[in-house]
Amino acid sequence: MTYQILILLLIGYVIYTIDLKQKMIPVPMVLVVIGLGLSFIPYFSSLHLSKEIVFEVFLPALLFTAAYQFPIKQLKNNWGIITAFSTIGLIVTALLLGVSIYWISNLFISLSLTASLLLAAILIPTDPVSVTSIIKKSTGDEQLADIVEGESMVNDGTSIVLFTILLSMFQTGERFNFTTFIEQFMLVSFGGILIGLLLGWILSKIIHLTKQKEYQVMLSIVMSYGGFYLAEALGVSGVLTTVILGVFLSYEIEKADEEKGIKASLDGFWNIIKPTFLSILFLLIGIQAAGYLVFSQWGLALIIFGLTLLARFIMVSGFIYAVPAWKGEFRDDFSTISIITAAGIKGSMSVALLLWLEKTVSAQYDVLISLSFAVIVLSLIVQSIGIYPLTIFLSKRHKR
């Protein structure tokens, strides 16, 4: 397996190097497509992506990096819309999408409401890592890209809480109960946030105990992974803990002007880890997805993909038009809503939840796995390719 991983890293290096020169290639999409191709080569057949690998190795690093590198100024300026989209907005999207899947699926296969909501929970987290730079370049609107990125950072935590509650209902056969759902949601979410605040405060104090940058980086590794594992062991959201911890550290770094070297040292390490992990992760996603993409319900998968975009469009429209302050921030409401909708690409968190479902349910529910993989791959390919021409078209439309 070691040799195969080295080859995957080499492929990732080549793709990222090409992207560095052209700055317009949606790297995760390209890596997934290459992974689909590699699945036909027997040499890579031993590679397998599991829930444990994604949650225990990849996610803590990717979440922490996104959180501590997110600009605090942009978080302060846009915290309201980011929070709304990634919490209440995500729940609304899940309900819209889940109910839609439930009704549409009756034309193809019979899915229960709980199964439909579970599928929706897998498909609602966003991963705009491949398109935020494209949005900035094509629109010149950094605020829009920061909102999309900030939403993604927080909604990972919301989506995993939704998923765990719905998965429990699905396994026990319990009917969906909105009151029970909200109680569990609040417990798991606020528990993760509180642990994140506590560990973030501790990290902000002890990171100044040494001036050695290498030891500060070591501490960030311990806290990011340790915080995630601790929260999960306590039954609360490790994702929210890691995100809050990272944001707390970002605030501390920005506040301590004399310690600006900390960020440079952290970036020197985590900016290597991020593309390394993303290369391996998305190539493995492609390799593993291939086996599930040969199934008879592609028509339903295409419809569900369309419903994911429609549900997100309705949610984003509702919030922007309902809050005058947000509506007034953007020069063209329709263009803004369309770009935010298209930028809601499925990615690493959706795959993590999908692998969790794969490990938990019996073979009779393989259709759920196949539908999820199909929609995720469609999202990565169609939305990643479409975001640039869409932003250019909408920019021209606005100038007319």
Side-chain angles (χ1 to χ4, degrees), residues 31-53:
L31 293 172
V32 167
V33 172
I34 292 173
L36 289 171
L38 293 177
S39 69
F40 294 98
I41 303 175
Y43 183 69
F44 295 99
S45 61
S46 62
L47 295 178
H48 180 75
L49 195 60
S50 68
K51 174 223 171 185
E52 287 77 16
I53 292 174

Side-chain angles (χ1 to χ4, degrees), residues 249-319:
L249 177 60
S250 177
Y251 175 76
E252 179 65 22
I253 291 173
E254 186 174 285
K255 185 178 68 173
D257 292 335
E258 73 279 3
E259 294 288 351
K260 284 184 179 178
I262 295 178
K263 188 174 189 307
S265 300
L266 292 176
D267 286 349
F269 174 78
W270 292 105
N271 283 345
I272 296 173
I273 294 298
K274 183 177 179 179
T276 300
F277 278 15
L278 287 176
S279 297
I280 297 172
L281 178 60
F282 281 98
L283 285 166
L284 288 175
I285 289 172
I287 292 171
Q288 189 143 335
Y292 284 101
L293 296 182
V294 182
F295 74 123
S296 61
Q297 298 298 333
W298 267 98
L300 179 57
L302 287 166
I303 293 173
I304 293 174
F305 170 61
L307 290 174
T308 63
L309 294 174
L310 179 60
R312 181 169 171 79
F313 185 88
I314 292 171
M315 181 276 289
V316 174
S317 301
F319 275 103

